[in-house]
Amino acid sequence: MNAIVEEPGTDLVTVRAMHASDVAAVVHIDAVAGGRARPRYFELMIERSVKSTKLQISLVAESEGRVVGFVIASLYYGEFGMTETTASMEAIGVEPASRRHRVAHSLLVQLRRNVAAIGATSIRTEVEWNDFDLLAFLRSEGFIPSMRLCLERSVDPTE
C-alpha cells in the first residue's frame, strides 16, 4: 500500500512499506548521516521487517522514484510487565538533499496512522541525549520525555 502524504507545508512524497530491495538506499542514507556504513544491521532489520510484517512497521519515502528517507519501527504488545500496545521507532533517516523538505514528517505521519490502526497507544524511541537536531525534530513531532528511564550497564566478560 502506497500513501501519498499531502500535509500543509509538506513536499509531495510517496510513503510505502519497506521492501528487501530498499536495503542499499537505506544503508546509504544512514551512512551519510552517521559517517559509517552499517549494511548488516539494516539487512537484518529489513529482513525482519519483510518477513514479520505483523510485528514490523517500516516505511520508506520516495520522491521522483527514489528512496529519500526511511523509518524502521517494531510493534510490541507489552514489555517490562506492561500490557499496552506500543511501537518502537528504531531508526529514521533522510538523505541530505531532501532534509528540510518535511520527508521525515511525512514518514512519521504515515507511521502514526499505521500504528494507530493496529491499536498502538504510543511510539517510543531512544535518542543520544546530545543529538540536538534529532531531539528538536522529535519534539516538533510531539515526542516528549518518557516517565521511564532507560538504564544501561556495561558487561565485562572477565568478571
Side-chain angles (χ1 to χ4, degrees), residues 13-66:
V13 296
T14 300
V15 177
R16 64 167 173 79
M18 188 178 286
H19 302 137
S21 60
D22 296 321
V23 70
V26 169
V27 167
H28 175 73
I29 291 168
D30 179 69
V32 170
R36 63 186 162 98
R38 302 184 293 169
R40 188 65 185 141
Y41 171 76
F42 284 106
E43 286 168 4
L44 292 171
M45 295 292 287
I46 293 171
E47 179 181 319
R48 186 176 74 178
S49 172
V50 170
K51 287 184 177 177
S52 190
T53 56
K54 65 181 178 272
L55 297 176
Q56 196 79 15
I57 312 102
S58 298
L59 306 166
V60 295
E62 291 183 331
S63 180
E64 299 177 5
R66 280 183 325 105

Side-chain angles (χ1 to χ4, degrees), residues 15-154:
V15 177
R16 64 167 173 79
M18 188 178 286
H19 302 137
S21 60
D22 296 321
V23 70
V26 169
V27 167
H28 175 73
I29 291 168
D30 179 69
V32 170
R36 63 186 162 98
R38 302 184 293 169
R40 188 65 185 141
Y41 171 76
F42 284 106
E43 286 168 4
L44 292 171
M45 295 292 287
I46 293 171
E47 179 181 319
R48 186 176 74 178
S49 172
V50 170
K51 287 184 177 177
S52 190
T53 56
K54 65 181 178 272
L55 297 176
Q56 196 79 15
I57 312 102
S58 298
L59 306 166
V60 295
E62 291 183 331
S63 180
E64 299 177 5
R66 280 183 325 105
V67 172
V68 296
F70 68 91
V71 62
I72 298 175
S74 297
L75 194 63
Y76 293 94
Y77 293 98
E79 59 183 350
F80 301 107
M82 298 174 70
T83 57
E84 68 180 325
T85 303
T86 62
S88 174
M89 186 171 65
E90 296 160 2
I92 188 168
V94 175
E95 71 173 10
S98 297
R99 292 183 187 156
R100 308 283 184 237
H101 295 276
R102 300 179 56 85
V103 172
H105 170 76
S106 297
L107 285 162
L108 288 183
V109 165
Q110 191 61 47
L111 178 62
R112 287 192 301 269
R113 290 174 182 161
N114 290 3
V115 301
I118 296 168
T121 57
S122 65
I123 300 172
R124 294 189 175 122
T125 194
E126 289 185 17
V127 182
E128 290 185 25
W129 81 294
N130 60 351
D131 189 341
F132 302 117
D133 290 339
L134 183 54
L135 286 166
F137 166 72
L138 291 173
R139 181 174 185 218
S140 75
E141 290 293 323
F143 284 80
I144 59 172
S146 171
M147 292 303 295
R148 299 170 67 197
L149 290 175
C150 179
L151 302 176
E152 179 178 286
R153 185 192 189 286
S154 62

